[in-house]
Amino acid sequence: MRIPPVLRAHRRIALAVAATLAALAATLGVGAAVAYAGDIPRGTTVLGLDLGGKDRAEAAASLRAGLADRERRPVTVRLGAQRTQLRPADIGLAVDVDATVNAAANARNPIAGLFGGHEVDPVVDVDGEKLAAALKPTADKAGQTMVLPAITFTGTTPTPTYPKSGRGITQAAAVSAITNGWLRVGEVEVPLANIDPVTTAADVDRLLSELARPAVAASVTVTTPGGTFTVRPAAIAESLVLTSDARGEIKPRVDEDKLRAAIAAELATVETKPKEARISTAGGTPKVLASTGGRLVDTARLSGDLLQVLPNSGGRSVHAALVTVEPRTTADDLTKLGIREQVSSFTTHFTGGLSSPRSKNIVQIAKQVDGAIVKPGETFSLNGHTGPRGYAEGYEDAPIILDGRLVPGVGGGASQFTTTIFNAAYYAGLQDVEHKPHSYYFSRYPAVIESTIFYPDLDLKFRNDTPHGVLIDTSYTRSSITVSMWSTRVYDSVTTQWSARRDITTPKKIYIDDDPKCIATEGSHGFTQDAWRIFRKDGKEIKREKFTWRYDAEPQYICGKAPAS
């Protein structure tokens, strides 16, 4: 049978197509095998780094190595017209290498493996809160800070602050911009958006009428198992908090600490304070005095209960429980410290009696420190123990050294106590951690082994490096301050040996005629000197420590005009 020409042509075409498809299938089969060699398909890249054909471990190592330098570079961020640079480590910004490698391994595209590359996005982590905090200063410059709502009290009068919208960044937008743009572009733009406080002006008016004003309209009666007292409107105003968080949301609350401070006198009528165990050195022998427990008003619960009745015009009474409070330090705790004897004592002298501001300051800081206990391994900080030494803490103006001159300053005289306690710790053999001698030499102090102080920049610190506790005992007379250390003696003696003074300089005369607060001084010579602290035990010297200090020559300040030349 003869096949027509047309059918023969169609048959040849069909055979050709079949052959082509077979060849393509064979090619794809071979190509797919090549493309999927290793865990990562060939042609796969991350941030331009070729990971194709590698197993997961090799890809992870290659990615870490390729990004190491790039991840450490600061990222430039633009917010409006403002720019800033952030260190990735400061905001928790990093590529999650393992997650990125997993994403690359799952990016199976045989055509891309044969005919072109396949880019996989990196998986980027960032700490959203740290990022928002780091960008806030720049965002405040670029945008407009929103006015946060609040209700504050002047006396018992509430005053509202109404919210106003601002323009800044949202954490979600900042995270999205950073994770998408980092390592891809030279500068990441974080968009600015309008930000509205959560609490509206209407909300503030409602809080004002429904809570703030009624809260201070009358007292609240509090009954306890130990008696009854009242919380006056002034105390309510001092402890009622109606300020907002960073989102502009006001969550009314009664601050427990402020409440306790505001009703301290009332609490004293129903509470029994716990007494801590303490050590008395009366009679020259340390004696541990026992502690006692106490019963205090549960002000944490009272704060919440109080908030519930403040909107009411009547029925303003609540019940408060008394909770048993154990002392923090017991007699057994102190006995274990091994404080058995006086191990050092040091005295310095002052003039002016106890009525002068300088003397009052010395006595005030001594009272704050008296009875302090430094446990084995602890470091005592004088600034840390007293806190600020200002007018509110009972200190007065007295001469201090500022910029090389004696000028009036609150707390003047604290340096004399600092020198006294430094020497007591020094001769007790305790470890010197931080101290700084005066810039000028004062004859009332031992040269080199003395110390000044200035809150909060200059401190005195020593460490109890003995196995026993140390009790700091202070006492004073009309003309002297004494600090004694009580513990268990570790060394037979601690003494000082001084070198001769060297590099002596002469003071200059300086006339001051334009300062009504000028304080005249006689001036003093400058010099350098060494002091060795020598430790002896069992009749032998076991170690010595060297201290060296350079004193400047203190000018002779003369309050008045310089004589005509």
Side-chain angles (χ1 to χ4, degrees), residues 424-465:
Y426 173 98
Y427 284 110
L430 303 178
Q431 181 183 352
D432 174 41
V433 175
E434 178 183 343
H435 83 283
K436 183 179 180 181
H438 289 79
S439 53
Y440 303 140
Y441 173 66
F442 297 97
S443 59
R444 60 178 173 266
Y445 304 143
V448 183
I449 52 172
E450 47 94 2
S451 183
T452 185
I453 197 167
F454 191 85
Y455 188 90
D457 303 312
L458 293 179
D459 198 2
L460 170 77
K461 295 179 182 179
F462 58 84
R463 180 175 178 271
N464 178 7
D465 56 348

Side-chain angles (χ1 to χ4, degrees), residues 53-97:
K54 295 179 172 60
D55 61 28
R56 292 173 189 263
E58 292 171 335
S62 179
L63 189 57
R64 286 191 178 92
L67 295 179
D69 290 338
R70 295 163 66 180
E71 281 189 309
R72 286 194 290 266
R73 297 173 193 161
V75 53
T76 300
V77 182
R78 179 165 63 86
L79 298 88
Q82 300 292 326
R83 287 176 174 79
T84 187
Q85 286 193 326
L86 305 178
R87 293 197 315 165
D90 293 341
I91 56 175
L93 181 61
V95 173
D96 186 332
V97 171

Side-chain angles (χ1 to χ4, degrees), residues 233-246:
I236 295 170
E238 289 178 26
S239 57
L240 180 58
V241 179
L242 295 171
T243 53
S244 71
D245 59 18

